[in-house]
Amino acid sequence: MNKGILIFCLMLLSFGDADGQNALSKEAKVDALNSVIHFVNEGAHGMLIVHRMLENFNQEINKYVDLDSYQINKIANNELPKNIFEDPDKWFCMKSSPYEWYEIAKLKAEKNKYANRKQIIATMSRMKTILENINQIRFDVDEKITDKDLTDTAALNRVYDELRKGVTLYEEYFTIQQSLLKQVAAAYKPLIPNAEEVQFPPLYKAMADLYLSTRNVLIALRNKDDEVLENLISKQEDALTAFENIDFNSFGSTRLSSRKIQRIRKNIIDPARASLVSAKKFIETAEVPTEYKQYGKFYFYYNSEMINHFNRYGNGIVFELNNLITDLNIPSLLFSELPHYYKVILPKKLEQVEHIVATDSKIVRLPSKLKDREIQMSTRTIKVDSIKFEVELYDHMIEDGDIISLNFNGDWIVEKMPLKAKHKKLKLMLNEEGKNYFILHAENVGRRPPNTMAVDYYYRGRKQQIILKSDLNVSEMIEIELVD
């Protein structure tokens, strides 16, 4: 986890001295810093919309080469504001647009003169420039597609070059946003309320724990750091349990027992539970729907499956946690949302890839379930002496109508294929780091259960054979080991 964000969140969980500052002045400065958080959060909403458009553009042009095209979203430029981040008609903003919050945050910074305000304004300005470029890219890509001959390789490559700019912009924005949050945390440090200034400290701690633990899981997914995920998910589950166990009525406050607050509580718990279910699903199966297979499991679970339970779009927990802070007059910083990240999917012909490469470049944990079936580990291992190798698949013994799907390192590289006596050849490339594996998934069991598949391959110049077996309850997994 980013060290600056950790410091920021730890401060949210503690209550120190106010250093003798006037209470009203402190409140105004916290409010000014919260304007910065509003800028961050509204910016994330606009980035989501452009992100969905870039995905659609990518899918649209891939059909001109050699990939299937999927309509992930149905959004067109002419249906949206000219500038997503100005949003004059409040197409997606709650109160003010990101640009409006930018101006509000600048004015409040100058008026309240909190620490390092000039640095914060400068960082916000850099983020605003990136948002302008992100908004423009949706028109630049559109222009390079509309009325163009996309069967022409040069024209097609110009579109892919433009889409790659989106990758850079989204990553740059995320990096600068993390710097901004560190700066906000530093400015907030002398403003942290003491115990007398905060009502319901146990409730606020439970809120902050839930926010922090959910955020940590998302950051680990973004960083493809699945080594720490199981521990982080456990902490997320503990935090959710602690929040659910807070008895709002025990504080003796009519505000906490009001229908509005109870509704907010429910609106926090429901997406938090859904987020936890998705996180556990990633650990157990990491299943990815067809339209996102090319993007890989980390991209799908971060950008689609889980961030919707965190950010406001998708009715995530951050928006409702912030509502609770506001409605209960807790004098603290609001919680910040996370931006999506973008990835370009290049057709194989443009990548000039001859071997199948896994979308997940490093696998630390082997799945325990796949498509609601248990996975049984083979007692044998496929040993190869080259990172690139070839396998031949065929029905073992006799053709009996077996139909199989084959999962390689989390990707379905064969789906619903009848096994024949004739060999099916596949060229594969192993991940250099982490684990590599096959999973045989039976689509049926043929006339002679179970489903059996022979795998032929070469090791040190000699032909080898492995037999995998699966039925409709259990799929067999075999690890692939590179031996020098």
Side-chain angles (χ1 to χ4, degrees), residues 76-91:
N77 273 327
N78 60 8
E79 299 172 349
L80 298 171
K82 185 176 180 180
N83 192 320
I84 292 291
F85 303 99
E86 287 180 347
D87 194 20
D89 298 321
K90 299 296 180 286
W91 191 82

Side-chain angles (χ1 to χ4, degrees), residues 345-392:
I345 301 301
L346 288 174
K348 294 179 176 61
K349 285 183 181 178
L350 294 186
E351 285 187 312
Q352 297 181 333
V353 173
E354 295 182 356
H355 290 72
I356 297 172
V357 181
T359 54
D360 182 359
S361 60
K362 182 181 178 182
I363 295 167
V364 176
R365 178 183 301 278
L366 296 173
S368 58
K369 287 184 179 179
L370 194 61
K371 290 189 174 181
D372 296 324
R373 292 187 192 171
E374 298 294 329
I375 292 176
Q376 177 178 302
M377 179 64 71
S378 174
T379 56
R380 300 182 64 186
T381 303
I382 293 177
K383 293 184 178 180
V384 295
D385 50 17
S386 172
I387 196 168
K388 295 181 178 180
F389 68 105
E390 186 174 297
V391 295
E392 297 183 8

Side-chain angles (χ1 to χ4, degrees), residues 278-467:
S278 295
K280 289 182 176 181
K281 182 180 177 184
F282 178 89
I283 289 291
E284 293 175 356
T285 67
E287 287 187 50
V288 178
T290 302
E291 63 269 25
Y292 277 102
K293 283 181 180 177
Q294 298 154 356
Y295 291 91
K297 64 181 183 180
F298 290 100
Y299 182 95
F300 169 70
Y301 275 83
Y302 178 90
N303 280 307
S304 184
E305 184 75 5
M306 289 188 63
I307 205 169
N308 296 337
H309 306 311
F310 189 75
N311 288 355
R312 172 163 68 84
Y313 261 77
N315 299 317
I317 66 169
V318 174
F319 176 68
E320 295 292 6
L321 285 169
N322 286 341
N323 279 340
L324 203 53
I325 288 174
T326 302
D327 283 21
L328 297 178
N329 297 319
I330 299 175
S332 72
L333 280 179
L334 298 173
F335 299 113
S336 57
E337 298 184 16
L338 288 167
H340 289 61
Y341 76 92
Y342 179 57
K343 178 179 181 180
V344 176
I345 301 301
L346 288 174
K348 294 179 176 61
K349 285 183 181 178
L350 294 186
E351 285 187 312
Q352 297 181 333
V353 173
E354 295 182 356
H355 290 72
I356 297 172
V357 181
T359 54
D360 182 359
S361 60
K362 182 181 178 182
I363 295 167
V364 176
R365 178 183 301 278
L366 296 173
S368 58
K369 287 184 179 179
L370 194 61
K371 290 189 174 181
D372 296 324
R373 292 187 192 171
E374 298 294 329
I375 292 176
Q376 177 178 302
M377 179 64 71
S378 174
T379 56
R380 300 182 64 186
T381 303
I382 293 177
K383 293 184 178 180
V384 295
D385 50 17
S386 172
I387 196 168
K388 295 181 178 180
F389 68 105
E390 186 174 297
V391 295
E392 297 183 8
L393 316 177
Y394 55 97
D395 205 341
H396 181 56
M397 299 295 288
I398 186 172
E399 284 188 26
D400 64 340
D402 287 345
I403 298 177
I404 63 102
S405 293
L406 188 65
N407 190 289
F408 171 59
N409 286 351
D411 298 328
W412 293 103
I413 59 173
V414 168
E415 293 190 85
K416 298 181 179 179
M417 181 187 77
L419 278 177
K420 303 289 186 180
K422 182 179 179 181
H423 294 198
K424 166 73 174 179
K425 294 183 179 181
L426 295 174
K427 292 182 177 181
L428 306 168
M429 181 181 291
L430 295 179
N431 288 338
E432 295 188 46
E433 295 183 82
K435 299 179 181 295
N436 294 274
Y437 64 86
F438 279 138
I439 296 175
L440 175 64
H441 180 85
E443 300 291 351
N444 71 351
V445 289
R447 294 185 297 275
R448 296 184 178 184
N451 194 315
T452 56
M453 178 182 72
V455 182
D456 285 359
Y457 61 99
Y458 283 86
Y459 175 58
R460 302 199 189 283
R462 299 184 65 178
K463 190 172 185 178
Q464 310 289 327
Q465 184 187 75
I466 291 278
I467 307 299

Side-chain angles (χ1 to χ4, degrees), residues 222-233:
R222 185 185 181 107
N223 294 337
K224 296 184 177 181
D225 192 4
D226 54 356
E227 292 180 76
V228 301
L229 265 172
E230 189 170 13
N231 181 51
L232 293 178
I233 291 169

Side-chain angles (χ1 to χ4, degrees), residues 186-198:
Y188 178 64
K189 188 173 182 179
L191 308 172
I192 298 173
N194 58 44
E196 289 73 33
E197 295 174 311
V198 178

Side-chain angles (χ1 to χ4, degrees), residues 67-118:
L67 285 178
D68 293 330
S69 178
Y70 299 96
Q71 187 76 16
I72 295 178
N73 312 283
K74 296 181 180 180
I75 307 176
N77 273 327
N78 60 8
E79 299 172 349
L80 298 171
K82 185 176 180 180
N83 192 320
I84 292 291
F85 303 99
E86 287 180 347
D87 194 20
D89 298 321
K90 299 296 180 286
W91 191 82
F92 70 92
C93 296
M94 292 292 291
K95 294 180 180 178
S96 302
S97 71
Y99 286 4
E100 288 171 329
W101 277 117
Y102 169 78
E103 296 297 337
I104 292 169
K106 280 177 58 180
L107 288 172
K108 289 187 175 182
E110 295 300 336
K111 180 180 179 181
N112 294 284
K113 302 188 183 307
Y114 56 73
N116 70 322
R117 61 190 178 281
K118 291 183 179 180

